[in-house]
Amino acid sequence: MSELVPGGNLPLPEGAVTVRVAGPFDVSALVTDEGGRVRGDADFVFYNQPSAPGARLAGDTLTVDPRRLRADAARVTVVVSPADPATPLGRLPVPVLEVSRVGGGALARFTPPRPRQETVLLLAEIYRRGDGWKLRALGQGYADGLGGLARDFGVEVADETPTTADAAVPYPGAAAPPTSPARPAPSASRPAPTSSSAALSPDLDTFLTLVNSARSAVGSSPVSLDPRLTRAALAHASAMASAGRLGVEGPDGVSVFQRVTATGYTYITVGEHLVSGPRDPTEFVEYCLRTEQPRRTLHDPSFTDAGLAYVSGSRSGDTYWTALWARPLTDADLARTVDEVVALTNRRRTGAGLPPLAADPQLARAAQAYSTDMAARAFYSHTSPEGTQPWDRAAAAGSTRRSIGENIACGQRSAAEVVEGWMNSPGHRANILKPGFTHIGVGFAGGGPAGTYWTQLFGG
């Protein structure tokens, strides 16, 4: 593992990495272009808006996948500030940055000089260099607070913190922009709640009526309430309330997708709204219809089932909502999805003047088993926890192909999205366009921390 000094650089491996800062700090990130500016408020990732394309915050750990950043992103700046805004950084332990592969070992550590009067520290930046990405250690202090830092990067920040009812902040971040990056100070006039209360009914009837009316208006079929999705929604809303923040992953380390599959609901596609602020289902649905990404999820014709829960009485006094949308996994849907991945892959090959790949049942069996394994055991790597490699898994499934290659991906919600992601990655694209490969098997599974796990296994 490398020990970095201010200004030191580290070439990053292909794929996702994590940066972790343990201790009494808030971690945040800004996704910027070559000019050092964000494209919009959604490019500011912080505790109340913990996601942007390619960047996801869970507690003290930021996961960055450069392959999934927006197309013109050139830099992700990692920022730390005190979890208690009243405490100067100089009174806290020095924030130590730890960089690791996702599912792999440690890459580097950076210990910056001790801050003095600074209120925010630019700790590191992940930046594009040619066809690859690097990490540069910074350790640059910033005296104007997180709000001032955000403004300098182009984020619009309100001067005053809104009330809870005004601050409906979704996850993922393609909706209401962060109204204030600073943690709101606790209100002296509002007693700290001593317990949480969960709401399930009769509000569910109101929710379903409003949702299906909105879906009908755009030609989408109605959804039905599924008790398993509602149980998963309640568990996740409760977890967010106990932590006092929104996030796909709760303080117990369990993702909302894992809560869904734990109820016995297996899905071919899933969507989620994680929101704080609305006071009732009417306000919640109005919020979802106000902005593009939440509206698209609510209208999505592929969903057939839904679940909703909210929990109030958390330490912050906020109300935390979880709405889940899904379509159950069937053999027909799985076959259609796999066939679509194969067809899109072959379209890219024929466009490059290569022959299409033929479906191979042994490779398909190995690919499906591996996607299922990654989702069930919550890992993401070409090497399984037992140390097996793609060619080992292919042989175990009965394949006699002499040449084996593998692409994996997680988090993509459709066949088109996953193939596009692979084609935008040099190593994955090389497998898809390798002339020596003649056959393919594809696997898909829902669940795990990322929600979806995809495998392409090639043979020649």
Side-chain angles (χ1 to χ4, degrees):
M1 182 174 65
S2 301
E3 291 282 351
L4 298 176
V5 298
N9 289 276
L10 172 74
L12 295 177
E14 185 173 303
V17 296
T18 63
V19 291
R20 177 174 182 261
V21 184
F25 307 103
D26 278 340
V27 179
S28 51
L30 294 127
V31 181
T32 58
D33 56 22
E34 289 287 358
R37 304 285 287 179
V38 299
R39 186 173 59 182
D41 297 304
D43 287 339
F44 183 29
V45 178
F46 68 116
Y47 71 94
N48 215 22
Q49 183 172 275
S51 179
R56 179 167 64 90
L57 180 63
D60 60 6
T61 302
L62 176 73
T63 301
V64 178
D65 188 346
R67 299 167 300 182
R68 299 182 63 195
L69 294 170
R70 58 179 172 83
D72 60 342
R75 184 175 289 105
V76 179
T77 302
V78 181
V79 181
V80 293
S81 56
D84 177 3
T87 304
L89 277 174
R91 294 185 185 177
L92 300 175
V94 175
V96 178
L97 180 107
E98 298 173 339
V99 187
S100 302
R101 300 172 185 264
V102 169
L107 295 172
R109 181 168 55 201
F110 172 52
T111 304
R114 174 173 289 279
R116 296 184 181 180
Q117 301 303 315
E118 296 89 343
T119 56
V120 173
L121 195 64
L122 307 187
L123 204 51
E125 60 182 11
I126 294 171
Y127 64 102
R128 188 193 303 272
R129 180 64 68 205
D131 292 333
W133 289 78
K134 291 186 175 183
L135 180 138
R136 178 184 294 116
L138 297 176
Q140 175 186 344
Y142 207 93
D144 197 21
L146 202 55
L149 171 69
R151 289 187 186 94
D152 283 0
F153 277 75
V155 178
E156 294 182 8
V157 180
D159 291 331
E160 295 181 356
T161 301
T163 63
T164 298
D166 295 328
V169 181
Y171 184 92
T179 49
S180 173
R183 288 187 184 273
S187 169
S189 63
R190 182 173 60 199
T194 57
S195 63
S196 295
S197 60
L200 288 177
S201 61
D203 296 324
L204 285 177
D205 292 335
T206 302
F207 167 75
L208 190 62
T209 298
L210 293 169
V211 163
N212 282 334
S213 175
R215 289 174 63 87
S216 175
V218 297
S220 294
S221 299
V223 293
S224 301
L225 289 171
D226 188 289
R228 295 166 296 178
L229 294 179
T230 296
R231 289 200 304 273
L234 177 59
H236 199 71
S238 300
M240 293 192 299
S242 70
R245 65 177 66 188
L246 300 171
V248 162
E249 185 177 287
D252 53 2
V254 180
S255 77
V256 66
F257 313 113
Q258 289 168 301
R259 299 188 204 282
V260 171
T261 54
T263 68
Y265 189 107
T266 56
Y267 55 82
I268 189 68
T269 185
V270 68
E272 73 283 349
H273 286 128
L274 309 181
V275 179
S276 67
R279 292 166 293 188
D280 56 47
T282 300
E283 286 191 2
F284 176 81
V285 174
E286 287 175 350
Y287 156 74
C288 292
L289 293 172
R290 232 179 6 245
T291 46
E292 181 182 358
Q293 184 59 46
R295 182 170 60 247
R296 186 182 301 136
T297 298
L298 190 150
H299 286 160
D300 193 328
S302 65
F303 296 134
T304 59
D305 298 329
L308 175 77
Y310 63 90
V311 173
S312 58
S314 65
R315 289 174 297 174
S316 67
D318 294 339
T319 300
Y320 290 84
W321 295 75
T322 299
L324 294 170
W325 317 83
R327 180 185 185 92
L329 179 70
T330 65
D331 290 343
D333 278 336
L334 179 60
R336 174 185 52 78
T337 299
V338 166
D339 288 346
E340 189 175 354
V341 172
V342 174
L344 290 169
T345 299
N346 280 335
R347 186 179 303 169
R348 299 300 185 121
R349 285 179 62 89
T350 56
L354 296 169
L357 302 170
D360 182 292
Q362 286 80 27
L363 295 179
R365 185 160 57 246
Q368 182 58 47
Y370 199 57
S371 285
T372 301
D373 193 27
M374 287 192 290
R377 294 201 285 171
F379 74 94
Y380 178 68
S381 172
H382 289 288
T383 304
S384 76
E386 292 74 32
T388 65
Q389 300 294 334
W391 43 90
D392 301 318
R393 296 187 287 273
S399 174
T400 57
R401 304 289 168 194
R402 299 178 61 184
S403 176
I404 296 293
E406 181 180 78
N407 286 344
I408 58 175
C410 63
Q412 294 82 2
R413 302 298 176 96
S414 69
E417 184 181 348
V418 73
V419 173
E420 181 69 21
W422 280 326
M423 287 300 296
N424 288 334
S425 166
H428 298 90
R429 184 172 63 248
N431 273 341
I432 288 174
L433 300 182
K434 185 172 181 178
F437 288 145
T438 57
H439 290 75
I440 187 174
V442 173
F444 165 85
T452 59
Y453 292 80
W454 305 79
T455 303
Q456 281 183 317
L457 203 55
F458 303 93

